Amino acid sequence: MKIWTVANQKGGVGKTTTTVTLGGILASQGKKVLLIDTDPHASLTYYFGIDSEQLEISVYDIFARGKNMKKEEILQSLCPSSMENLDILPATMAIATLDRSMGNKNGMGLLLKKALAKLDNEYDYAILDCPPVLGVLMVNALAASERILIPVQTEFLALKGLDRMMRTMELMQSSQSKTYQYTIVPTMYDKRTKASLEAYKTLRTTYGDKVWPGVIPVDTKFRDASLAMKVPSLFCPKARGVYAYEALLKYLMKINGEASL
């Protein structure tokens, strides 16, 4: 199972949209995909019409019970989506308490990685949707990941959020003796505005080939798909935003040495 984490220490840059859209495209290609919500706001969970307040088991239990949680119990906590091959590990507000209750305990940073290892033969891909705040949840999501996708809105303030994210990864790399593979994904690009043009130019100049050469354009179809609680690749397969994510997926598979369908 390949594990990708979608992360940025700024909200509103397209993390959940990226998670849902890539997951939907992979599932439509016949890949077995697990989407994991590690954000207390539970945007990914609500996207699929799952009421987080009604859940008996969620991603919270992986942290609360740790290695004592068996594979069968993890599988029982998953929620199927309306799309074949696509399942959700939902979040609840309870995970907002993890930093206070468990943040200082040893070994907390690898709980999610160890839990996902138990599902290794169940899925082809797991994609994690991260909170915009550095803490136990983000640390676990980054530690579990093989590649980090960093959506960055093409505007000035979002570039400042990217600076914080890069510093976080540098700190974690030094503490874990691990080199993160990451791709910066320019999002909400509007070629009509000078702000988008300048922000994209700055990204390319500053981060070079770590930036995906394409862009995810502003596309209202993403909002419509969210309202309908359907993945964009099913709801609006010919939307320009979906085409952009298909191009991103081909790029990711190419740099990972995989064959795209």
Side-chain angles (χ1 to χ4, degrees), residues 18-227:
T18 297
T19 303
V20 170
T21 309
L22 288 178
I25 295 170
L26 283 165
S28 69
Q29 294 178 350
K31 303 294 186 182
K32 188 75 170 154
V33 182
L34 176 62
L35 303 183
I36 302 170
D37 196 346
T38 65
D39 189 341
H41 290 108
S43 297
L44 176 66
T45 300
Y46 286 119
Y47 188 106
F48 289 95
I50 302 166
D51 186 349
S52 69
E53 301 308 312
Q54 300 298 318
L55 297 171
E56 294 183 5
I57 308 177
S58 72
V59 72
Y60 172 81
D61 294 88
I62 288 176
F63 293 93
R65 297 178 58 190
K67 63 182 180 181
N68 294 323
M69 194 169 184
K70 298 177 181 179
K71 174 182 176 179
E72 293 73 21
E73 293 173 310
I74 299 174
L75 290 172
Q76 288 173 7
S77 69
L78 306 183
C79 298
S81 73
S82 59
M83 184 178 189
E84 187 178 0
N85 296 324
L86 189 65
D87 294 334
I88 319 299
L89 177 53
T92 61
M93 280 295 293
I95 60 175
T97 67
L98 290 173
D99 281 312
R100 184 175 67 250
S101 62
M102 302 180 180
N104 295 322
K105 294 182 179 179
N106 292 329
M108 283 297 297
L110 297 175
L111 288 176
L112 192 53
K113 181 177 182 177
K114 292 176 180 178
L116 291 178
K118 298 175 183 178
L119 304 182
D120 190 47
N121 295 324
E122 300 292 330
Y123 293 92
D124 299 303
Y125 286 86
I127 307 179
L128 289 73
D129 189 17
C130 260
V133 178
L134 178 61
V136 167
L137 293 161
M138 181 180 284
V139 167
N140 267 267
L142 295 179
S145 182
E146 296 171 9
R147 177 164 297 275
I148 300 165
L149 307 180
I150 310 174
V152 181
Q153 183 181 359
T154 46
E155 58 94 18
F156 177 72
L157 290 179
L159 299 187
K160 294 298 181 183
L162 175 60
D163 290 341
R164 290 194 297 273
M165 188 69 214
M166 298 305 293
R167 287 196 295 271
T168 293
M169 287 199 300
E170 288 173 5
L171 288 171
M172 288 190 61
Q173 283 180 151
S174 61
S175 65
Q176 295 179 350
S177 299
K178 174 182 178 180
T179 300
Y180 287 115
Q181 301 297 320
Y182 67 92
T183 300
I184 297 168
V185 181
T187 61
M188 303 180 190
Y189 182 80
D190 188 345
K191 64 182 180 182
R192 300 168 298 177
T193 67
K194 183 178 179 180
S196 275
L197 294 169
E198 290 295 326
Y200 181 75
K201 181 180 178 181
T202 299
L203 279 175
R204 295 289 294 173
T205 301
T206 306
Y207 298 102
D209 61 3
K210 292 297 185 182
V211 181
W212 172 48
V215 295
I216 305 298
V218 172
D219 192 339
T220 58
K221 292 294 185 181
F222 287 136
R223 190 180 304 121
D224 296 339
S226 175
L227 186 64

